[in-house]
């Protein structure tokens, strides 16, 4: 729950709480902190073109895709 609140604080997007909860559930805590840190840094450097929420979501979707691909790879070897 703390990580979700931190994501909301950084992105300013309270409407995406369900999505942020999913991200926190599916990714490691360390990975989520990296995403939060990257979003903060990008904001400070003026690299965010649209919104912090969209930036965070883009990073999260890339990490979720990697995590799912790795999980699928593991699934191929377990039987």
């Amino acid at each position: 729950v703390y990580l979700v609140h931190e994501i909301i604080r950084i992105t300013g997007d309270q409407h995406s709480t369900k999505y942020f909860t999913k991200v926190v559930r599916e990714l490691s805590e360390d990975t989520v902190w990296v995403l939060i840190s990257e979003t903060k840094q990008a904001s400070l450097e003026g690299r965010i073109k649209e919104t912090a929420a969209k930036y965070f979501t883009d990073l999260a979707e890339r990490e979720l895709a990697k995590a799912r691909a790795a999980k699928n790879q593991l699934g191929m070897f377990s039987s």
Side-chain angles (χ1 to χ4, degrees):
V1 172
Y2 173 74
L3 280 176
V4 173
H5 289 291
E6 189 63 16
I7 296 166
I8 291 168
R9 189 177 72 78
I10 297 306
T11 63
D13 183 2
Q14 294 182 340
H15 301 290
S16 298
T17 302
K18 283 185 181 182
Y19 174 76
F20 297 149
T21 301
K22 179 182 103 169
V23 168
V24 169
R25 244 188 277 122
E26 291 190 33
L27 297 176
S28 72
E29 182 176 348
D30 288 344
T31 300
V32 175
W33 278 116
V34 168
L35 300 178
I36 290 168
S37 295
E38 172 60 27
T39 302
K40 272 200 243 183
Q41 190 64 34
S43 180
L44 289 171
E45 294 173 359
R47 292 187 284 126
I48 295 180
K49 303 286 186 242
E50 293 189 37
T51 67
K54 286 184 181 183
Y55 189 91
F56 178 88
T57 300
D58 180 61
L59 294 176
E61 284 300 312
R62 292 170 195 241
E63 287 301 321
L64 287 167
K66 281 195 250 180
R68 290 173 186 145
K71 187 176 178 181
N72 287 340
Q73 283 291 96
L74 289 174
M76 287 178 20
F77 296 110
S78 62
S79 291

